Amino acid sequence: EIFRTAGGTVFDPLAATDAAATVTLDALLAPARLNRLVEASRQGASGLTLATYARRLLALDNAAAATPAQAEARRRIGTRTILALARATRSPDLAPANARIIEAQLADHARQLAASPGDSPAQRDWNRSMAALLQNAEALALALAQPDSATKVPPGMPIGG
């Protein structure tokens, strides 16, 4: 597959990161899946709650990185995760009570990001930027209203796959 990249026809690892995060988050955060998770949790069929699910996804953006390139990939995934969770809360297919659970986790995450110095200037700046976005409802609404900048992933298997 060839995806549109910032660098023309060269391999762009961050575009690949975006594509992988998009495919994964679309599946993980489908409103029907989130509603089923809550129902399963209510019936005792799952020890995983929606709050824990959201916290685990959000925790990935500040995990330790071995290299600056890995740290940048994690920030890219973190941005996608935050926006995907915020977008999920606005879906008419997600139960309103479930949307409030995710919103509460995003608010907690914003406070954690604002208080975290990060392990590099780039991480510190990203933490502050994401915290500010999450704490400003108008700015978040504007960000979510923008056309999604995620790499468009074509449907189906790759050619020859």
Short mmCIF file of all heavy atoms in Angstrom, two decimals, residues 22-30 33 53:
data_model
loop_
_atom_site.label_atom_id
_atom_site.label_comp_id
_atom_site.label_asym_id
_atom_site.label_seq_id
_atom_site.Cartn_x
_atom_site.Cartn_y
_atom_site.Cartn_z
N THR A 22 -4.89 4.70 13.76
CA THR A 22 -6.25 4.94 13.27
C THR A 22 -7.02 3.63 13.16
O THR A 22 -8.16 3.52 13.65
CB THR A 22 -6.22 5.68 11.92
OG1 THR A 22 -5.59 6.94 12.11
CG2 THR A 22 -7.61 5.88 11.37
N VAL A 23 -6.43 2.64 12.52
CA VAL A 23 -7.10 1.35 12.35
C VAL A 23 -7.40 0.73 13.71
O VAL A 23 -8.50 0.25 13.97
CB VAL A 23 -6.24 0.40 11.49
CG1 VAL A 23 -6.77 -1.03 11.53
CG2 VAL A 23 -6.17 0.89 10.06
N THR A 24 -6.43 0.76 14.59
CA THR A 24 -6.59 0.15 15.91
C THR A 24 -7.64 0.88 16.74
O THR A 24 -8.53 0.25 17.32
CB THR A 24 -5.24 0.14 16.65
OG1 THR A 24 -4.28 -0.55 15.84
CG2 THR A 24 -5.35 -0.53 18.01
N LEU A 25 -7.54 2.21 16.80
CA LEU A 25 -8.48 2.97 17.63
C LEU A 25 -9.90 2.93 17.08
O LEU A 25 -10.86 2.93 17.86
CB LEU A 25 -8.00 4.42 17.78
CG LEU A 25 -6.75 4.56 18.64
CD1 LEU A 25 -6.15 5.97 18.49
CD2 LEU A 25 -7.03 4.24 20.10
N ASP A 26 -10.05 2.90 15.75
CA ASP A 26 -11.39 2.78 15.18
C ASP A 26 -12.07 1.51 15.68
O ASP A 26 -13.27 1.51 16.01
CB ASP A 26 -11.35 2.78 13.65
CG ASP A 26 -11.13 4.15 13.05
OD1 ASP A 26 -11.16 5.16 13.81
OD2 ASP A 26 -10.92 4.24 11.82
N ALA A 27 -11.31 0.43 15.76
CA ALA A 27 -11.88 -0.83 16.25
C ALA A 27 -12.10 -0.81 17.76
O ALA A 27 -13.15 -1.21 18.26
CB ALA A 27 -10.97 -2.00 15.86
N LEU A 28 -11.11 -0.32 18.50
CA LEU A 28 -11.19 -0.33 19.96
C LEU A 28 -12.26 0.61 20.51
O LEU A 28 -12.81 0.38 21.59
CB LEU A 28 -9.84 0.04 20.58
CG LEU A 28 -8.72 -0.98 20.44
CD1 LEU A 28 -7.42 -0.41 21.00
CD2 LEU A 28 -9.08 -2.28 21.13
N LEU A 29 -12.52 1.69 19.79
CA LEU A 29 -13.42 2.72 20.32
C LEU A 29 -14.75 2.81 19.57
O LEU A 29 -15.45 3.82 19.67
CB LEU A 29 -12.71 4.08 20.32
CG LEU A 29 -11.45 4.12 21.19
CD1 LEU A 29 -10.75 5.46 21.06
CD2 LEU A 29 -11.77 3.80 22.63
N ALA A 30 -15.09 1.75 18.86
CA ALA A 30 -16.40 1.72 18.21
C ALA A 30 -17.47 1.82 19.31
O ALA A 30 -17.40 1.10 20.31
CB ALA A 30 -16.57 0.43 17.42
N ARG A 33 -18.95 -1.37 20.68
CA ARG A 33 -18.00 -2.12 21.51
C ARG A 33 -17.93 -1.52 22.91
O ARG A 33 -17.92 -2.24 23.90
CB ARG A 33 -16.62 -2.11 20.87
CG ARG A 33 -15.55 -2.82 21.70
CD ARG A 33 -14.21 -2.75 21.03
NE ARG A 33 -14.24 -3.40 19.75
CZ ARG A 33 -13.67 -4.57 19.47
NH1 ARG A 33 -12.98 -5.18 20.40
NH2 ARG A 33 -13.76 -5.09 18.29
N TYR A 53 -10.46 0.86 30.90
CA TYR A 53 -10.13 0.74 29.47
C TYR A 53 -9.59 2.07 28.95
O TYR A 53 -8.53 2.13 28.31
CB TYR A 53 -11.42 0.34 28.76
CG TYR A 53 -11.33 -0.06 27.31
CD1 TYR A 53 -10.71 -1.24 26.92
CD2 TYR A 53 -11.94 0.72 26.33
CE1 TYR A 53 -10.68 -1.63 25.59
CE2 TYR A 53 -11.92 0.34 25.00
CZ TYR A 53 -11.30 -0.85 24.63
OH TYR A 53 -11.28 -1.22 23.31
#
